[in-house]
Amino acid sequence: LSEMLMENISAMLMVCGCLQSSLKANEPHLQGDVDLQPITCSQYAWENFHGAHLVYELLYEYTFRHASFHCAAWMTMYLTLTFGFLFEYFEGLRWLPAVMRIVAIRIVYFLLGYSVLVVGFGLVFWLGFGSPPPAA
């Protein structure tokens, strides 16, 4: 299949997924009289799953459970597919993922150092000048 066809198929699947998530998000899952004890989803996951399945369930619970995050999940899958096709099919771009992996740790160290610097200066200013007076 050509790159353009794969791109269009992945875009169509992303749009269909967003539409389905939006339409199915508010439907009730249990029909009729159901007498169950209330339990949170994360508590159910901790009690019934182990290993990798527990990690997957908790990741889903804390990031993508709410309907407003479904489109973000579909967009993440779409971008993963798009960049996967882009780096696979174009010879000139095959070096980019390797370089991104190499510089990722340096970027993390830079952001950590920058955060420590900003918090440190904030702490010095707070110790030097105190907190602002309460608003009247």
Side-chain angles (χ1 to χ4, degrees), residues 4 6 25-28 45 75 85 89 104 109 114 118 121 129:
M4 183 66 89
M6 294 300 281
N26 296 323
E27 289 184 2
M75 193 65 184
F85 293 140
Y89 289 115
Y109 284 147
Y114 184 73
V118 168
F121 273 111
F129 298 108

Side-chain angles (χ1 to χ4, degrees), residues 30 34-41 43-44 47:
L30 298 174
V34 179
D35 188 27
L36 299 174
Q37 297 295 331
I39 186 172
T40 63
C41 294
Q43 185 179 1
Y44 178 81
E47 291 174 1

Side-chain angles (χ1 to χ4, degrees), residues 93-107:
L93 293 177
R94 288 193 182 160
W95 59 271
L96 195 54
V99 170
M100 291 171 94
R101 276 186 239 112
I102 291 171
V103 301
I105 192 68
R106 291 187 179 139
I107 291 173

